[in-house]
Amino acid sequence: MDDIFTKVREGNAMHVRVWLDNTENDLNQGDDHRFSLLHWAAREGQTKIVEMLIQRGARINATNMGDDTALHLACSHGHRDIVGMLLHHKANINAINEHGNTPLHYACFWNHDQIAEDLVNNGALVAMANKSDETPLDKAKPKVAKILTERAGSLGQDLHKIPFKDRSWLGYKTRSRDALLSRHAGINIEQLKLQGHMATTHSGEVWRGLWQGNDIVAKVLNLRECTVRNSRDFQEEFPRLRIFNHQNILPVLACCNQPPNLVVISQFMQYGSLYNVLHGETGIVVDQNQCLRFAIDIARGMEFLHTLEPLIPNMYLTSKHVMIDEDLTARINMGDYGFSFHEKGKLYSPGWMAPEALQKKPEEINMRAADMWSFAIVLYELETREVPFADLTPMEIGMKVALEGLRITIPPGISSHILRLLKICMNEDPGKRPRFDMIIPILEK
């Protein structure tokens, strides 16, 4: 295909849609200057493409090399409809670029008066100074500056100049991703610089390392012996895990298929798994709002995986298989896939599994319904900060859930809305559990 950035700039929505449908294309990748597809669509006023990218999970607040967000570009080029769309999807209205300019600085400088008023009405600060000690009001025409000052005052803004150095509250900056990450499939193991052992799991040894300057995690799969058939199956199965076109899926970047070493390579996530965030020592404050954001992220990721035909087998949802990105986005880790040559029948996290998944073979159950049960357990974990059935061994959990009707105990004080959702998602009849596209609007409300 031709350069996707060119197609976005030209407004070729059909071409962009086809490109996005290919799971190996990363919608959050950047060009040589780290402009993402959303940056270009916002800059060129391609409203349909902006809408499409947002629906597919484009990062609203990703920055280019100059630290501009898509909102900066939409404001400076006067695309009011796109500004509204970005604000509706939680764009950081007071984001600053490398010069200290906010989107409001640009709207005022380029005389986009209506956009400037929209920004102030939505919380843009009129007194924020840039590196040159200029506020947006300094860049506006006198008449517009007067209107914005009065409006900001009526909204309760402090009109004293906010000096540029006062930026401690701004939070994370997330650059558009290096497009190189999605261009490789099979690589030579000698290209990996493994720097430290992170964990030993039932499926392999997990190492942190570097590959082409990128922080990665390499899982060296555990095998009694690596046969020619294992190597062939590995080569056939791993491409389905290279899902780059959804924000809430963490793709497998590449693999090394060099028997006796079969290695799965993923992007390093500084906060680790959701399990680690909830039960470890990460220092992240997970309040009620953050819990809901994690739940919505996971539901969106699962909704996407459920659209794939055939379904990806051997993917079980637990908090250990959800990774947390640098901007606190939850992403389902495709690196935790169970390959066909892994030992069958052994279940390592039965506390998250539906009763029928513990009783029957995978081909005999409704996997989408079983995933919904697992999601309910993760939701319970988010709400209570408790590990399900923490006082029992995995074998005891599996036996008691499958054969003795053991279920999680909902503590008092939990939100009535969440309680109702848990009961719906954990219906004993799999056919009566909802789909993810049905519960996402409930979570969003």
Side-chain angles (χ1 to χ4, degrees):
M1 273 191 176
D2 295 334
D3 178 16
I4 186 61
F5 295 101
T6 301
K7 295 300 180 186
V8 168
R9 290 196 293 270
E10 292 172 350
N12 192 330
M14 180 68 74
H15 192 108
V16 174
R17 183 176 288 108
V18 171
W19 188 90
L20 288 172
D21 284 340
N22 181 345
T23 58
E24 290 204 16
N25 290 328
D26 183 354
L27 88 165
N28 286 306
Q29 73 182 42
D31 63 11
D32 292 342
H33 297 282
R34 288 291 202 272
F35 276 71
S36 68
L37 301 179
L38 185 60
H39 278 104
W40 279 117
R43 183 183 188 276
E44 300 298 326
Q46 305 297 355
T47 307
K48 283 186 179 178
I49 294 177
V50 169
E51 190 173 10
M52 192 190 310
L53 290 168
I54 290 173
Q55 286 173 349
R56 296 292 184 109
R59 289 184 157 177
I60 303 295
N61 293 311
T63 56
N64 62 13
M65 277 188 171
D67 282 338
D68 292 305
T69 65
L71 185 60
H72 280 96
L73 299 178
C75 289
S76 60
H77 289 81
H79 304 305
R80 189 183 183 192
D81 55 341
I82 292 174
V83 169
M85 211 180 296
L86 293 170
L87 292 177
H88 180 70
H89 287 89
K90 309 293 189 293
N92 182 355
I93 200 166
N94 290 305
I96 57 170
N97 65 9
E98 64 180 353
H99 304 294
N101 289 321
T102 65
L104 184 57
H105 277 91
Y106 285 131
C108 290
F109 180 78
W110 293 107
N111 301 319
H112 300 307
D113 304 347
Q114 287 186 313
I115 290 177
E117 287 188 48
D118 291 344
L119 290 170
V120 173
N121 287 333
N122 281 277
L125 299 173
V126 299
M128 279 185 72
N130 61 16
K131 282 187 175 179
S132 303
D133 203 37
E134 297 171 310
T135 69
L137 299 177
D138 295 328
K139 290 181 171 288
K141 291 179 179 177
K143 183 180 176 183
V144 176
K146 184 173 184 293
I147 293 170
L148 296 181
T149 303
E150 290 173 355
R151 186 67 188 134
S154 70
L155 291 169
Q157 283 193 29
D158 183 350
L159 300 179
H160 291 94
K161 184 179 287 187
I162 303 169
F164 175 73
K165 62 183 179 182
D166 183 21
R167 294 292 176 266
S168 57
W169 51 273
L170 274 172
Y172 298 96
K173 270 192 167 58
T174 304
R175 282 273 163 89
S176 303
R177 289 201 280 263
D178 183 351
L180 283 173
L181 288 176
S182 57
R183 290 182 191 157
H184 296 264
I187 64 172
N188 191 312
I189 197 167
E190 292 174 3
Q191 293 178 296
L192 297 178
K193 295 179 182 176
L194 301 184
Q195 298 173 321
H197 186 265
M198 294 176 67
T200 299
T201 71
H202 62 274
S203 57
E205 300 289 326
V206 182
W207 294 78
R208 184 175 178 182
L210 281 175
W211 171 51
Q212 296 192 339
N214 293 294
D215 278 326
I216 55 99
V217 172
K219 182 194 280 188
V220 183
L221 300 185
N222 279 340
L223 289 170
R224 287 177 185 165
E225 65 169 318
C226 184
T227 65
V228 173
R229 180 172 179 176
N230 292 157
S231 176
R232 187 188 66 214
D233 290 347
F234 181 67
Q235 194 64 36
E236 287 179 0
E237 292 175 38
F238 105 88
R240 288 204 72 198
L241 311 178
R242 288 171 52 78
I243 298 174
F244 290 89
N245 68 348
H246 199 283
Q247 184 186 11
N248 302 119
I249 305 292
L250 182 65
V252 166
L253 299 178
C255 78
C256 300
N257 188 353
Q258 293 169 260
N261 293 311
L262 303 183
V263 186
V264 173
I265 298 155
S266 305
Q267 201 175 345
F268 174 73
M269 297 284 110
Q270 70 181 87
Y271 296 123
S273 69
L274 176 61
Y275 185 93
N276 187 47
V277 167
L278 292 178
H279 311 300
E281 298 293 329
T282 58
I284 298 174
V285 177
V286 184
D287 58 17
Q288 186 66 25
N289 283 336
Q290 187 59 61
C291 276
L292 277 172
R293 282 196 288 271
F294 283 153
I296 291 168
D297 285 346
I298 296 165
R300 285 175 178 157
M302 292 305 298
E303 178 195 23
F304 176 78
L305 291 178
H306 282 185
T307 66
L308 302 178
E309 288 292 349
L311 280 180
I312 296 176
N314 309 322
M315 279 296 299
Y316 297 105
L317 176 60
T318 79
S319 58
K320 298 173 184 177
H321 297 166
V322 174
M323 307 303 285
I324 305 303
D325 211 335
E326 71 251 21
D327 59 355
L328 300 186
T329 298
R331 306 175 72 189
I332 297 163
N333 186 13
M334 304 311 290
D336 286 323
Y337 168 84
F339 286 90
S340 60
F341 46 78
H342 276 135
E343 197 170 359
K344 294 286 187 294
K346 280 206 171 185
L347 302 173
Y348 296 90
S349 299
W352 284 264
M353 297 183 70
E356 69 273 14
L358 296 167
Q359 296 161 347
K360 302 174 183 177
K361 296 176 182 176
E363 59 270 20
E364 295 174 353
I365 64 174
N366 180 340
M367 281 307 302
R368 290 178 173 86
D371 285 341
M372 184 54 71
W373 181 287
S374 300
F375 174 77
I377 300 291
V378 174
L379 190 58
Y380 157 85
E381 200 177 353
L382 283 166
E383 282 291 314
T384 64
R385 308 294 195 281
E386 293 180 12
V387 178
F389 316 116
D391 54 337
L392 301 175
T393 66
M395 181 176 284
E396 288 173 327
I397 295 169
M399 296 291 287
K400 288 177 180 290
V401 170
L403 304 175
E404 298 176 20
L406 176 67
R407 300 293 183 262
I408 53 172
T409 304
I410 311 292
I414 198 168
S415 153
S416 60
H417 300 294
I418 295 295
L419 178 60
R420 196 175 308 124
L421 190 57
L422 285 173
K423 288 181 176 177
I424 294 169
C425 296
M426 296 181 70
N427 196 305
E428 295 290 335
D429 180 350
K432 292 183 178 177
R433 294 173 203 156
R435 300 186 310 271
F436 281 101
D437 62 347
M438 296 163 70
I439 67 165
I440 290 171
I442 297 171
L443 289 166
E444 288 176 336
K445 282 181 182 176

